[in-house]
Amino acid sequence: MKADLPVIELEGVAKRYGAVEAVRDASFDLPQGACVALVGHNGAGKTTLMKLMLGLIRPSAGRLRVLGEDPAAGAAQARRRLGWLPESVTFNPALTGQEVLRFFARLKGEPAAAADALLERVGLIEAARRRIGGYSKGMRQRLGVAQALLGSPRAVLLDEPTTGLDPEVRQGLYDMLTELAGGGTTVLLSSHALEELEGRVERVVIMDHGRVVADGSLAELRRLARLPVRLRLALVGDAWPDWLRPDFAPHRLGNGLVELSCPPEAKMALLRQAAADPHVADLDLEPPTLDELYVHFLRSRDGVAP
């Protein structure tokens, strides 16, 4: 596969189960080293799309290429270059974490040392010889992440990878994914925890009822959505700045704090006025969150006024 070709390519991909269209006309590319989030409600088609990329199911229509090949053709060499973490991770509870990961390492032609190194990397080395039946949900999830990373995969597909993880472990996982993407591995992760994706991924693909309804970086999605920007001011005294227009809907929060919202095109002028006003002691700018963008694009698709 040439380095300049996308690692994953979809063109008009669809998957039907009888009258149900799980995926409809999905088209996008994932380049080498991209870290992309696939988001959507339950039943939006995220898991189906990942299974199509893995070759576990065949598309009903469209063209799909992973690492330059048809994933449904079943090429063993191509599959060894993929990592996969399903949403529900299950392992034999009678085996130890080390036994399970070494087993998967053998399947991928990797040495036992590679499995042990990954156990260390995901923080399970101290529990490596314990039976999985005694693992917590978070520990099983970390073991699943470790098996997905075996064999230095060219692309890693992770379905709800942070389920059951505490904040410190989630931080470590995202740091690991950033490192992988920096080394050239394409990372595609599905998550419902939209707030934790901000600043973690470079691009977001939003799905709804099997369709891709938005695709871009957070900055690009914000430009498309044109949602209001929130500004929070800390005022000195009770003076009310005369430049606070009523259409910005300013309101007091108490303790000298005032919150308002403005359209994106008014943001810079408003910031200049606030910075020049001696009655403004501090300010915080809050752009639309990914949760708000997600709701906006779903409502826009359904013809509901944002």
Side-chain angles (χ1 to χ4, degrees):
M1 177 183 174
K2 294 181 180 179
D4 58 343
L5 291 179
V7 173
I8 298 176
E9 304 173 82
L10 294 91
E11 184 179 339
V13 171
K15 179 61 181 177
R16 292 184 292 272
Y17 296 97
V20 177
E21 289 185 286
V23 174
R24 295 186 280 176
D25 195 29
S27 299
F28 60 86
D29 294 345
L30 300 181
Q32 180 178 338
C35 187
V36 180
L38 185 65
V39 304
H41 55 78
N42 289 330
K46 306 184 303 296
T47 299
T48 300
L49 203 55
M50 286 189 167
K51 289 181 177 179
L52 286 165
M53 295 175 184
L54 291 161
L56 299 177
I57 55 178
R58 290 181 175 273
S60 304
R63 179 180 179 273
L64 175 60
R65 289 291 181 271
V66 176
L67 300 172
E69 301 179 20
D70 177 0
Q77 184 60 33
R79 290 193 175 183
R80 277 197 294 268
R81 293 180 291 170
L82 297 176
W84 160 239
L85 175 68
E87 181 177 4
S88 299
V89 182
T90 56
F91 299 108
N92 189 328
L95 299 178
T96 68
Q98 186 180 65
E99 288 171 337
V100 164
L101 205 57
R102 286 186 173 186
F103 168 75
F104 281 107
R106 287 196 297 272
L107 290 180
K108 279 203 165 185
E110 294 292 310
D116 295 344
L118 279 170
L119 286 169
E120 175 89 43
R121 193 174 184 185
V122 299
L124 286 178
I125 195 64
E126 299 296 328
R129 297 182 183 275
R130 285 170 48 189
R131 296 187 188 278
I132 294 173
Y135 277 18
S136 67
K137 180 176 178 60
M139 292 170 72
R140 293 194 301 273
Q141 192 75 0
R142 281 185 276 166
L143 184 61
V145 171
Q147 69 81 24
L149 299 182
L150 279 166
S152 301
R154 291 282 307 281
V156 178
L157 311 181
L158 308 170
D159 199 351
E160 300 292 341
T162 60
T163 299
L165 302 185
D166 60 46
E168 182 180 4
V169 177
R170 283 203 304 271
Q171 173 70 45
L173 173 62
Y174 281 115
D175 289 345
M176 191 185 308
L177 297 183
T178 299
E179 180 184 339
L180 282 170
T185 299
T186 298
V187 177
L188 179 67
L189 65 100
S190 167
S191 178
H192 286 102
L194 303 188
E195 70 283 351
E196 70 181 37
L197 294 175
E198 295 192 40
R200 310 284 192 178
V201 297
E202 63 191 57
R203 183 174 151 204
V204 179
V205 177
I206 300 177
M207 294 193 69
D208 181 40
H209 293 92
R211 291 190 184 277
V212 175
V213 297
D215 177 4
S217 67
L218 271 177
E220 290 168 338
L221 296 180
R222 284 170 179 149
R223 283 196 297 271
L224 287 171
R226 304 193 62 75
L227 294 176
V229 176
R230 285 184 298 276
L231 190 64
R232 183 171 294 183
L233 308 176
L235 300 181
V236 178
D238 295 327
W240 191 265
D242 56 10
W243 47 266
L244 283 182
R245 292 165 24 194
D247 56 318
F248 291 159
H251 57 280
R252 295 186 185 273
L253 301 176
N255 297 319
L257 295 177
V258 172
E259 188 172 84
L260 59 145
S261 61
C262 68
E265 61 271 16
K267 176 181 66 176
M268 294 306 299
L270 196 60
L271 287 174
R272 283 192 291 268
Q273 289 176 302
D277 192 330
H279 296 99
V280 177
D282 196 8
L283 62 86
D284 289 306
L285 186 68
E286 298 180 10
T289 65
L290 181 54
D291 282 279
E292 291 168 331
L293 292 168
Y294 173 75
V295 171
H296 168 84
F297 284 110
L298 262 60
R299 288 179 175 176
S300 298
R301 180 194 176 279
D302 293 335
V304 178

